[in-house]
Amino acid sequence: SLLPVGETWIVIASQSQARIFRYLGLRSGLRLLEKIQHPEGRMLDRELGGDRPGRSYSSVGHGGRSSYSDEHSPHEEVARNFARVLTEKLRTAHGRNEFRALMLVAEARFLGILKSCLDDQTRKALVATLDREYHQKSSSELSRRIEEYLLSG
């Protein structure tokens, strides 16, 4: 199903940055509305790829045991903080009727965090998600990839 032209926002996010685009329709591409940087997440982009599950962070005074559950490791906190900033921005924009439909594009783990931070109203606007690492791609490349996805879906 195709997205409502002019009323859809597409958010391409990673832990270190996000770009918000307005969808202008097939072959018309995307218009960049805003780019949001999150420098603390840069380390995560590099490290999360190689992160093995179950890694623990020892902290002094806890007998060497991790003081964090896997859910709330320092990595997770940094990612979550950025997700909250993004989803709050989306909530405000949606409240002002700046978009009617929303598509989120991020790597699986961050996508999950983003979705969990969305408020109910904005979640209703979420029409598509794409589990991909696209934050490095140019706007024209993104347009192409997203159109392929929309046409195949």
Side-chain angles (χ1 to χ4, degrees), residues 2 8 13 41 68 99 150 152:
L2 298 181
T8 300
Y68 292 97
F99 65 89
L150 292 175
S152 68

Side-chain angles (χ1 to χ4, degrees), residues 38-53:
H38 184 236
E40 304 90 281
R42 273 209 198 96
M43 187 182 74
L44 296 192
D45 276 341
R46 277 202 301 276
E47 290 183 10
L48 280 181
D51 225 357
R52 291 186 307 284

Side-chain angles (χ1 to χ4, degrees), residues 89-139:
K89 192 176 277 289
L90 292 172
R91 187 184 70 78
T92 304
H94 188 248
R96 294 189 193 129
N97 295 314
E98 290 178 33
F99 65 89
R100 191 159 63 88
L102 178 65
M103 178 176 181
L104 294 178
V105 182
E107 100 11 80
R109 188 167 174 193
F110 193 54
L111 184 59
I113 295 173
L114 278 173
K115 283 162 72 176
S116 74
C117 290
L118 282 175
D119 65 289
D120 291 342
Q121 285 308 106
T122 312
R123 189 175 288 118
K124 286 184 187 131
L126 185 62
V127 294
T129 58
L130 189 51
D131 156 16
R132 292 279 188 284
E133 280 272 17
Y134 279 173
H135 62 279
Q136 304 279 336
K137 304 232 177 291
S138 68
S139 298

Side-chain angles (χ1 to χ4, degrees), residues 30-87:
L30 309 172
R31 185 167 80 238
L32 182 64
L33 297 175
E34 190 173 356
K35 186 170 181 173
I36 304 138
Q37 298 288 352
H38 184 236
E40 304 90 281
R42 273 209 198 96
M43 187 182 74
L44 296 192
D45 276 341
R46 277 202 301 276
E47 290 183 10
L48 280 181
D51 225 357
R52 291 186 307 284
R55 181 164 150 195
S56 71
Y57 295 82
S58 61
S59 64
V60 182
H62 287 77
R65 280 183 54 80
S66 168
S67 62
Y68 292 97
S69 72
D70 233 19
E71 275 303 282
H72 294 288
S73 69
H75 276 167
E76 200 81 12
E77 277 307 301
V78 171
R80 232 165 237 294
N81 289 343
F82 190 41
R84 284 192 202 103
V85 168
L86 288 178
T87 53

